[in-house]
Amino acid sequence: MSALPSPSNSTEPLQILHEVFGYQAFRGPQAPIVDHVVGGGDALVLMPTGGGKSLCYQIPAIARQRAGHGVAIVVSPLIALMHDQVGALHEAGVNAAFLNSTLDWAQTQDVERRLARAEITLLYAAPERVTTPRFLELMDGLASRGKLSLFAIDEAHCVSQWGHDFRPEYRALTVLHQRYAGVPRIALTATADALTRADIVERLQLEEARQFVSSFDRPNIRYSIVEKKDATTQLLRFIEREHEGEAGVVYCQSRKRVEDVAVALQSAGINALPYHAGLDSAVRQKHQDRFLREDGIVMVATIAFGMGIDKPDVRFVGHLDMPKNIEGYYQETGRAGRDGAPADAWMVYGLQDVVNQRRMIDESPAGEEFKQVMRGKLDALLSLAEASDCRRVRLLGYFGEQSTPCGNCDNCITPPQVWDGTDAARKLLSTIYRVQQQSGISFGAGHIMDILRGKATEKVKQFGHESISTFGLGAEFSEVQLRGVLRQLIATGALAVDTEAFNTLKLTEGSRAVLKGEASVALRESVSSPASRSGGKTRREKTPRGAPSPAAAALDAAGQARFAALKAWRAEVAREHNLPAYVIFHDATLATIAERAPVTLEDLQGISGIGSKKLEAYGADVLRVCSSF
Ligand code: ADP
Ligand code: ZN
């Protein structure tokens, strides 16, 4: 066995990347960001989930600490994840710590003492902690000795009310700039439309910061939005057909629905767990830990779940209810496929989603100006859902990026039939108008459709609506078609739902253009069964339960055996260290090891994901595991 290379104390970013993290090269804009921050500049980093934001502050923190600048403070909103984040750094041999309410008095004392002595390279804390008098005093002490090296503000969109995770505590972070003007700051987020971005700059006083905006494309994620029928059954089919035994997240709007769906999946034999703010915090933590540590768990959750979750092998994100806006949709779907392997973003969407989201805005206590912005954002998401052209082009367009049809979304793979709903739309609107004229009150969608389709129901007879001139004029349309037309009319604002009055339908300013035939209505042809969409062929070769991960699929039999043994060994280590398995080594790293069949430590060098600390800590064990074949 050859000697290990001795760890250098280099302040060179690329050297740190090789030695500490075991990676060969910087990705995308990481290198210029790191250089800028190592040099003491402020930065605002907009990079999609999985793009590699953590290294953008971790490497500068290490470099600056080695150069004698002291401690980097990482502001992170998620106490529940700090343990794993710091654990991952420990595994790489980095001196990191966190301060939060999960520590007892003695542990807190210990961290504070090490902090005061600037013995820590990265300290993680939540914004409410960072801005306490006690913490400020600690930082004052460090700053007076030039030992405060950097502030990293993770999930920076939390500072903005236009983002989807507004945390008022983030607003207090302006103190960092005011009190420690000379200390560089790097703010990072995976979400930012222009409005949110401007807000982050203003709120965090980052006017002088250099902005690094990456492409927001996540090419490995396949976007699909299907019409909602029986959402739970649709979800079950989707999982069985495409993601059996794989890890995923399913978002629902309400706690009740989370519970119901989790139970439904469990009864179908799927390893599902619920997560929402109404659960006891110990239960939440337990479910989150299981999701991170076990294979193939489906987390059914409200949006309370997911921020900061860096599990790399989430194979799908489902939405059973529509989010509020594209930022939310993009952020949530972005949790799929961080490892770059194929993943699905799948949403079911229906009329009720439109009605619910509009109502939530209408009923919110916010000011009219705020509501207008929220309506605009909702409209953008609705047109994404209604679109019959490339979803990705629209999604990226929303973030200001031009692109061409992607070939990896539902509309690109199976272009939907489009039918002209203009005539149906005019008839619906005119029925609504006439009924209102005749009866002096408004009615809901079901009744209006009955009239147009010529169904003489009790209610139709009771109100004498058989005499309305459009009665029976739309007999050729199916209810599904009319519902689709109504949904699109509401989605585009050509019709309103009065949620205060039994969800009755009301004409709007926007109705006029459609009534006059000046605006046309194009609709996706309703697809009766999503499976039939691809004409019987499976969309992707399904990975059967228990099959090796994509990276390992190419291994020969001996390689497969080594891979399986390495995974078993990794599970053991992860359990001992109370960390998720991927923090020890990613699947891709284990697959490369298995392929190389290493005999000496040198054989392990240069494998992506094996830094010098991991080589030292695990190299011999890995060789032992491999040598048994
Ligand atoms: P983000 O915070 O932007 O969502 P992470 O920082 O969690 O992304 O990085 C996503 C994944 O990519 C992680 O598993 C990380 O180890 C890996 N990664 C980041 N940068 C590199 C790089 N330069 N080379 C190889 N892997 C990288
Ligand atoms: Zn596409």
Side-chain angles (χ1 to χ4, degrees), residues 17-23 92 585 607-617:
L17 182 76
H18 294 325
E19 173 210 313
V20 178
F21 297 96
Y23 294 144
F585 285 124
I607 293 181
S608 184
I610 309 186
S612 63
K613 175 70 195 300
K614 288 190 179 176
L615 186 63
E616 184 192 324

Side-chain angles (χ1 to χ4, degrees), residues 188-231:
L188 311 102
T189 176
T191 332
D193 60 325
L195 193 60
T196 312
R197 189 187 312 173
D199 211 25
I200 295 173
V201 169
E202 189 192 327
R203 296 282 174 181
L204 293 177
Q205 300 178 347
L206 284 166
E207 288 84 358
E208 307 291 313
R210 196 163 144 200
Q211 295 194 13
F212 294 88
V213 185
S214 309
S215 165
F216 271 66
D217 190 16
R218 300 286 309 280
N220 60 314
I221 298 183
R222 173 174 298 176
Y223 298 96
S224 315
I225 303 178
V226 305
E227 191 167 333
K228 191 186 286 189
K229 282 164 202 136
D230 174 355

Side-chain angles (χ1 to χ4, degrees), residues 390-392 405-409 412:
C390 177
R391 310 268 188 203
R392 194 180 312 267
C406 72
N408 193 27
C409 72
C412 281

